[in-house]
C-alpha cells in the first residue's frame, strides 16, 4: 500500500494518470490525493481497437484474440503503428502543453505494456510504470474500498 522508496523521492506536484485498458484509455490529473476537477478524460481506444483491426474478418472472438496477444503469439505489426498513433495523439490532444508541467505520470492497464516505448517518448523519465500494470487498477480500487470502509467505521 505504500510507495516504493526509489519512486517516492523528488516526486511532487500534480500527477498524471494514464490507464490503457481493454476498452478505453482514461486520463486523470491528481493533486494532493484528489482528482483535479474536470481533468478526467476517456476515449474508446483501448486494446480492443487494436484487436478489432487485427481480425477484420471477425472470425475470432475478442477473447480469443486477447489470449493470443497475452501469449505473445498475435502478429499486430500491420496495425500497431496506427493504433499507437491514435492513442498518443489522443493523449497529446487532451493534455496538450500541460504534459511538460506534470512531474510524474503513472501508467496502468494492459495497453501500457504494449505502448511503454511510445509513452516513454511522450513523458520521458517522468513515466512510472507499475510492476503489474494489468492488476494495479483492481488493487487500487480495492485499497480505496478498504480506506472508505475504515473511514465510515
Amino acid at each position: 500500500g505504500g510507495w516504493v522508496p526509489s519512486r517516492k523521492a523528488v516526486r511532487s506536484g500534480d500527477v498524471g494518470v494514464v490507464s490503457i485498458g481493454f476498452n478505453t484509455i482514461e486520463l486523470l490529473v491528481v493533486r494532493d490525493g484528489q482528482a483535479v476537477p474536470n481533468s478526467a478524460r476517456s476515449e474508446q481506444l483501448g486494446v480492443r481497437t487494436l484487436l478489432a483491426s487485427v481480425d477484420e474478418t471477425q472470425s475470432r472472438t475478442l477473447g480469443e484474440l486477447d489470449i493470443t496477444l497475452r501469449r505473445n503469439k498475435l502478429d499486430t505489426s500491420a496495425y500497431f503503428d496506427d493504433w499507437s498513433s491514435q492513442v498518443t495523439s489522443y493523449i497529446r490532444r487532451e493534455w496538450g502543453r500541460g504534459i511538460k508541467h506534470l512531474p510524474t505520470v503513472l501508467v496502468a492497464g494492459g495497453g501500457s505494456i504494449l505502448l511503454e516505448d511510445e509513452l516513454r517518448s511522450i513523458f520521458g523519465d517522468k513515466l512510472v510504470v507499475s510492476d503489474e500494470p494489468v492488476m494495479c487498477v483492481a488493487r487500487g480500487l480495492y485499497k480505496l474500498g478498504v480506506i472508505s470502509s475504515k473511514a465510515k467505521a
Side-chain angles (χ1 to χ4, degrees):
W3 278 96
V4 174
S6 64
R7 293 185 179 164
K8 186 176 179 182
V10 299
R11 306 265 187 192
S12 62
D14 292 352
V15 174
V17 179
V18 178
S19 177
I20 306 170
F22 188 76
N23 290 309
T24 59
I25 175 174
E26 290 91 20
L27 306 176
L28 179 67
V29 177
V30 176
R31 180 180 301 136
D32 299 325
Q34 300 292 319
V36 172
N38 302 315
S39 72
R41 302 280 185 268
S42 179
E43 187 69 32
Q44 290 188 330
L45 282 175
V47 177
R48 172 192 286 253
T49 304
L50 173 64
L51 296 178
S53 298
V54 169
D55 193 36
E56 293 173 330
T57 63
Q58 299 180 352
S59 60
R60 295 177 280 183
T61 68
L62 288 171
E64 291 170 323
L65 291 166
D66 186 43
I67 290 168
T68 307
L69 179 66
R70 288 173 191 252
R71 291 180 178 159
N72 208 17
K73 295 186 180 205
L74 184 66
D75 182 10
T76 62
S77 59
Y79 308 95
F80 184 81
D81 288 345
D82 182 54
W83 175 64
S84 67
S85 177
Q86 290 178 57
V87 171
T88 56
S89 294
Y90 173 74
I91 293 169
R92 286 187 170 106
R93 181 175 67 248
E94 292 300 320
W95 278 352
R97 292 185 177 139
I99 288 173
K100 65 182 174 186
H101 300 295
L102 292 170
T104 305
V105 177
L106 306 175
V107 295
S112 67
I113 296 168
L114 299 171
L115 294 170
E116 184 173 350
D117 292 340
E118 289 75 9
L119 295 169
R120 200 158 299 285
S121 74
I122 295 172
F123 302 113
D125 64 354
K126 300 175 182 186
L127 190 71
V128 176
V129 182
S130 168
D131 294 335
E132 294 183 352
V134 175
M135 291 302 299
C136 69
V137 173
R139 288 188 178 129
L141 291 171
Y142 170 78
K143 289 175 185 178
L144 183 61
V146 169
I147 291 168
S148 296
S149 67
K150 286 180 181 177
K152 291 178 183 176

